[in-house]
Coordinates of all heavy atoms in Angstrom, one line a residue:
K44 N 42.5 107.6 123.7 CA 42.2 106.6 124.8 C 41.0 105.8 124.5 O 40.9 104.6 124.9 CB 42.0 107.4 126.1 CG 40.7 108.3 126.1 CD 40.5 108.9 127.5 CE 39.2 109.7 127.4 NZ 38.9 110.5 128.5
H45 N 40.0 106.3 123.7 CA 38.8 105.5 123.4 C 39.2 104.3 122.6 O 38.8 103.1 122.9 CB 37.7 106.3 122.8 CG 37.2 107.4 123.6 ND1 36.6 107.2 124.8 CD2 37.3 108.8 123.5 CE1 36.3 108.3 125.4 NE2 36.7 109.3 124.6
F46 N 39.9 104.5 121.5 CA 40.2 103.4 120.6 C 41.2 102.4 121.3 O 41.1 101.2 121.1 CB 40.7 103.8 119.2 CG 40.8 102.5 118.3 CD1 39.6 101.9 117.9 CD2 42.0 101.9 118.1 CE1 39.7 100.7 117.1 CE2 42.1 100.7 117.4 CZ 40.9 100.2 116.9
T47 N 42.1 103.0 122.1 CA 43.1 102.1 122.8 C 42.3 101.1 123.7 O 42.6 99.9 123.7 CB 44.0 103.0 123.6 OG1 44.7 103.8 122.8 CG2 45.0 102.1 124.4
Q48 N 41.2 101.6 124.3 CA 40.4 100.8 125.2 C 39.7 99.7 124.3 O 39.7 98.5 124.7 CB 39.4 101.6 125.9 CG 38.5 100.8 126.9 CD 37.3 101.6 127.4 OE1 37.4 102.9 127.5 NE2 36.3 101.0 127.8
I49 N 39.1 100.1 123.2 CA 38.5 99.2 122.3 C 39.4 98.0 121.9 O 39.1 96.8 121.9 CB 37.9 99.9 121.0 CG1 36.7 100.8 121.5 CG2 37.5 98.9 119.9 CD1 36.2 101.7 120.4
C50 N 40.6 98.4 121.4 CA 41.6 97.5 120.9 C 42.1 96.5 122.0 O 42.2 95.3 121.8 CB 42.7 98.2 120.3 SG 43.7 97.2 119.2
N51 N 42.4 97.1 123.2 CA 42.9 96.3 124.3 C 41.8 95.3 124.8 O 42.1 94.1 125.1 CB 43.3 97.2 125.5 CG 44.6 97.9 125.2 OD1 45.3 97.7 124.3 ND2 44.8 98.9 126.1
E52 N 40.5 95.7 124.8 CA 39.5 94.8 125.2 C 39.3 93.7 124.2 O 39.1 92.5 124.5 CB 38.1 95.6 125.3 CG 38.0 96.1 126.7 CD 36.6 96.8 126.9 OE1 35.6 96.4 126.4 OE2 36.6 97.9 127.6
A53 N 39.4 94.0 122.9 CA 39.3 93.0 121.8 C 40.4 92.0 122.0 O 40.2 90.8 122.0 CB 39.4 93.6 120.4
E54 N 41.6 92.4 122.3 CA 42.7 91.5 122.5 C 42.5 90.6 123.7 O 42.7 89.4 123.7 CB 44.1 92.2 122.5 CG 45.2 91.3 122.8 CD 46.6 91.9 122.9 OE1 46.8 93.0 122.3 OE2 47.5 91.3 123.5
A55 N 42.1 91.3 124.8 CA 41.9 90.5 126.1 C 40.8 89.5 125.9 O 40.9 88.3 126.4 CB 41.6 91.5 127.2
D56 N 39.7 89.9 125.2 CA 38.6 88.9 125.0 C 39.0 87.8 124.1 O 38.6 86.6 124.4 CB 37.4 89.6 124.4 CG 36.7 90.5 125.4 OD1 36.8 90.3 126.7 OD2 36.0 91.5 125.0
L57 N 39.8 88.1 123.1 CA 40.3 87.0 122.2 C 41.2 86.0 123.0 O 41.1 84.8 122.9 CB 41.0 87.6 121.0 CG 41.5 86.6 120.0 CD1 40.4 85.7 119.4 CD2 42.3 87.3 118.9
R58 N 42.1 86.6 123.8 CA 43.0 85.8 124.6 C 42.2 84.9 125.5 O 42.5 83.7 125.7 CB 43.9 86.6 125.4 CG 45.1 87.2 124.6 CD 46.0 88.0 125.5 NE 47.1 88.6 124.7 CZ 48.2 88.0 124.3 NH1 48.4 86.8 124.6 NH2 49.1 88.7 123.6
E59 N 41.1 85.4 126.1 CA 40.3 84.6 127.0 C 39.6 83.5 126.2 O 39.5 82.3 126.7 CB 39.3 85.5 127.7 CG 38.5 84.9 128.8 CD 37.5 85.9 129.5 OE1 37.8 87.1 129.5 OE2 36.4 85.4 129.8
L60 N 39.0 83.8 125.1 CA 38.2 82.9 124.3 C 39.1 81.7 123.9 O 38.6 80.5 123.9 CB 37.6 83.5 123.1 CG 36.4 84.4 123.3 CD1 36.2 85.3 122.0 CD2 35.2 83.5 123.5
L61 N 40.3 81.9 123.5 CA 41.2 80.8 123.0 C 42.3 80.4 124.0 O 43.1 79.7 123.6 CB 41.8 81.2 121.6 CG 40.8 81.2 120.5 CD1 41.5 81.6 119.2 CD2 40.1 79.9 120.3
N62 N 42.2 81.0 125.2 CA 43.2 80.6 126.2 C 44.6 80.9 125.7 O 45.5 80.0 125.7 CB 42.9 79.2 126.5 CG 43.5 78.8 127.9 OD1 43.9 79.7 128.6 ND2 43.6 77.6 128.2
I63 N 44.9 82.1 125.1 CA 46.2 82.4 124.5 C 47.1 82.9 125.6 O 46.8 83.9 126.2 CB 46.0 83.4 123.4 CG1 45.0 83.0 122.4 CG2 47.3 83.7 122.7 CD1 44.5 84.0 121.4
S64 N 48.3 82.2 125.7 CA 49.2 82.6 126.7 C 50.0 83.8 126.3 O 50.0 84.2 125.1 CB 50.2 81.5 127.1 OG 51.2 81.4 126.1
D65 N 50.7 84.4 127.3 CA 51.6 85.6 127.0 C 52.8 85.3 126.1 O 53.4 86.2 125.7 CB 52.0 86.1 128.4 CG 51.9 87.6 128.3 OD1 50.9 88.1 127.7 OD2 52.8 88.3 128.9
E66 N 53.0 84.0 125.9 CA 54.1 83.6 125.0 C 53.8 84.1 123.6 O 54.7 84.1 122.7 CB 54.1 82.1 125.0 CG 55.5 81.4 125.2 CD 55.3 79.9 125.0 OE1 54.3 79.3 125.5 OE2 56.1 79.4 124.2
Y67 N 52.6 84.4 123.3 CA 52.1 84.7 122.0 C 51.7 86.2 121.9 O 51.1 86.8 122.8 CB 50.9 83.9 121.5 CG 51.2 82.5 121.3 CD1 51.3 81.6 122.4 CD2 51.4 81.9 120.1 CE1 51.5 80.3 122.3 CE2 51.7 80.6 119.9 CZ 51.8 79.7 121.0 OH 52.1 78.4 120.8
A68 N 52.1 86.9 120.8 CA 51.6 88.2 120.5 C 50.3 88.1 119.7 O 50.2 87.1 118.9 CB 52.6 89.0 119.7
V69 N 49.3 89.0 120.0 CA 48.1 89.0 119.2 C 48.2 90.3 118.3 O 48.3 91.4 118.9 CB 46.9 89.0 120.1 CG1 45.6 89.3 119.2 CG2 46.7 87.7 120.8
L70 N 48.1 90.2 117.0 CA 48.2 91.3 116.1 C 47.0 91.5 115.3 O 46.4 90.5 114.9 CB 49.5 91.1 115.2 CG 50.8 90.7 115.8 CD1 51.8 90.5 114.8 CD2 51.2 91.7 116.9
F71 N 46.6 92.7 115.0 CA 45.5 93.0 114.1 C 46.1 93.7 112.9 O 46.6 94.8 112.9 CB 44.5 93.9 114.8 CG 43.8 93.3 116.0 CD1 44.1 93.8 117.3 CD2 43.0 92.3 115.9 CE1 43.5 93.2 118.4 CE2 42.4 91.7 117.0 CZ 42.6 92.2 118.3
M72 N 46.1 92.9 111.8 CA 46.8 93.4 110.6 C 45.8 93.6 109.4 O 44.6 93.4 109.6 CB 47.9 92.4 110.2 CG 49.0 92.3 111.3 SD 50.4 91.2 110.9 CE 51.2 92.2 109.6
Q73 N 46.3 94.0 108.3 CA 45.5 94.2 107.1 C 46.0 93.3 105.9 O 47.0 92.7 106.0 CB 45.5 95.7 106.7 CG 45.2 96.6 107.8 CD 44.7 98.0 107.4 OE1 44.0 98.2 106.4 NE2 45.2 99.0 108.0

Side-chain angles (χ1 to χ4, degrees):
K44 69 173 180 186
H45 297 298
F46 188 74
T47 302
Q48 184 189 335
I49 289 168
C50 196
N51 287 348
E52 274 183 36
E54 178 178 336
D56 288 334
L57 180 61
R58 283 185 183 278
E59 189 182 325
L60 283 165
L61 288 182
N62 202 10
I63 303 168
S64 82
D65 222 38
E66 230 189 312
Y67 292 81
V69 171
L70 312 177
F71 298 111
M72 298 184 71
Q73 306 201 44

